[in-house]
Amino acid sequence: MPEESETEALERNQEKGRRQGAFRQLRRIGISTLVPVEVWKRDRPWNLDLVRWFMFFTLFPLFMISWASLADPELRDVAFIFGIYFATIWGVVIYFFIRPERISVVDLVRVSFFTAFAGLFFVTLVSRLPGVSSIYATTQSATLAGRVVGYVFGVGLVEELAKALPILWIFVRNREPGSAQEITFLGCVSGFAFGVSEAMAYSVGYAENVGRGSFGFEDYIVVQFTRLITLPLLHAMFSGIVASFIALGVANPGSRRGLMLLGFAIGAVLHGLYNTFAASPGGFIIAFAAVLLFILYVRSAQAMQEAIRGVHEPDFPDES
């Protein structure tokens, strides 16, 4: 009888395995292979930042459902927490895009808390000042030009200043060290904090409109999701652009006023124009421009820094 080849033996064993029942196949493989606890203990995937973020983003909404069934929270609380959830998702994306050298938890907390609470108070206070309140009133103007003036020089400028206050305090007033990437990222964090707090306030109004019949459920879903998911990101784009110019000003004191003024102008104009055209296709175009400009300024920060530094370096005559 000819000797069986290795290939034939393998095929015979495979055919034998296929004829076995499913449970006998699994028993033959073994529980230690199917549940490789030792491999998991050596790999320790739970120590990876990417895995931790993945678990947080996956499980947080399920946790919220469980919490809501027990605590019976108010709409304001739910909107605030979900706003933080979506802002955190965007924040992680922007973090890996900007890649700041170091961001401490202390910086994140103090910027977020200041803007979320003091920032909104600042906007409320300033918007009621004589002169400023008149500019705010033009947002209801019957003319397009009047609405643009009100949204740019009122809403846009005041809100961008409110979001920039903690950045100015930390890096200009206190002169704490920070790179362009760090300052820009914290500017985005401030924008997220403002957008989430704003979303919390607007969510109550949206729900009341549904109760009065002013909103259909379709409209409510659109505006609520936009307010929780997209608008905090747009706030971060506007304030991130402003913060990038603050960073340039911090690095170049000789041009600080001009650079910061330009940064606030760009942020306020984008913000104001978006608010003016938010309910039309023009709003999408402005949002697209804001996101693109943010990306361009982040990617060109080093080149701009070198160019500005070159302008301020004195030209010495050639002594050769």
Side-chain angles (χ1 to χ4, degrees):
M1 181 177 180
E3 185 176 344
E4 184 179 38
S5 67
E6 183 177 343
T7 302
E8 291 172 338
L10 178 60
E11 292 176 351
R12 180 170 56 80
N13 289 334
Q14 289 177 343
E15 180 61 29
K16 182 180 178 181
R18 282 192 290 268
R19 290 197 299 266
Q20 292 177 344
F23 290 108
R24 291 187 62 187
Q25 292 173 358
L26 294 177
R27 188 168 61 249
R28 180 164 50 86
I29 294 172
I31 187 66
S32 61
T33 301
L34 299 174
V35 187
V37 175
E38 292 302 320
V39 174
W40 296 341
K41 289 167 64 176
R42 291 195 302 270
D43 184 36
R44 293 182 170 275
W46 49 83
N47 287 337
L48 300 175
D49 289 339
L50 183 61
V51 172
R52 290 175 176 175
W53 283 116
F54 176 76
M55 294 183 67
F56 170 75
F57 293 139
T58 303
L59 298 176
F60 183 84
L62 303 178
F63 165 78
M64 284 295 299
I65 293 173
S66 302
W67 173 68
S69 67
L70 297 175
D72 191 24
E74 295 183 359
L75 175 61
R76 184 184 300 269
D77 300 327
V78 174
F80 186 67
I81 293 174
F82 267 104
I84 293 174
Y85 170 71
F86 290 119
T88 303
I89 294 176
W90 287 124
V92 171
V93 173
I94 292 177
Y95 177 87
F96 285 108
F97 174 68
I98 297 177
R99 295 190 177 276
E101 292 84 351
R102 60 176 183 84
I103 291 292
S104 68
V105 175
V106 173
D107 285 337
L108 292 175
V109 170
R110 60 178 173 169
V111 168
S112 299
F113 272 77
F114 180 92
T115 304
F117 299 102
L120 283 182
F121 175 78
F122 173 85
V123 170
T124 302
L125 178 65
V126 172
S127 65
R128 294 177 179 176
L129 293 176
V132 180
S133 60
S134 299
I135 298 175
Y136 264 73
T138 61
T139 60
Q140 305 301 318
S141 172
T143 66
L144 177 61
R147 294 195 297 274
V148 169
V149 169
Y151 279 120
V152 171
F153 294 97
V155 178
L157 188 58
V158 172
E159 291 189 4
E160 291 313 314
L161 180 58
K163 292 184 288 183
L165 284 177
I167 310 302
L168 293 170
W169 182 268
I170 294 171
F171 298 105
V172 178
R173 169 64 174 78
N174 290 351
R175 299 182 180 180
E176 296 183 25
S179 68
Q181 292 88 344
E182 294 168 25
I183 295 174
T184 301
F185 181 73
L186 287 175
C188 292
V189 170
S190 184
F192 281 128
F194 188 92
V196 170
S197 295
E198 195 178 58
M200 178 181 66
Y202 274 98
S203 295
V204 176
Y206 295 154
E208 291 174 349
N209 284 335
V210 173
R212 290 193 296 263
S214 303
F215 271 2
F217 285 111
E218 299 85 355
D219 296 329
Y220 174 73
I221 290 174
V222 171
V223 296
Q224 185 66 73
F225 275 30
T226 302
R227 179 62 63 179
L228 288 175
I229 300 173
T230 306
L231 295 186
L233 175 63
L234 271 185
H235 270 295
M237 297 293 96
F238 301 146
S239 58
I241 291 172
V242 174
S244 69
F245 278 89
I246 293 176
L248 289 173
V250 167
N252 301 276
S255 300
R256 178 173 297 172
R257 291 182 180 179
L259 289 168
M260 290 186 181
L261 179 62
L262 178 59
F264 277 110
I266 295 173
V269 168
L270 288 172
H271 191 153
L273 289 178
Y274 175 79
N275 282 15
T276 303
F277 299 102
S280 69
F284 172 80
I285 295 172
I286 301 301
F288 177 85
V291 175
L292 180 60
L293 270 179
F294 172 78
I295 293 170
L296 294 174
Y297 276 125
V298 169
R299 292 186 61 83
S300 62
Q302 185 62 37
M304 293 176 67
Q305 177 73 299
E306 293 174 358
I308 295 171
R309 188 181 297 117
V311 170
H312 290 290
E313 289 179 354
D315 295 325
F316 296 101
D318 187 1
E319 298 180 356
S320 59

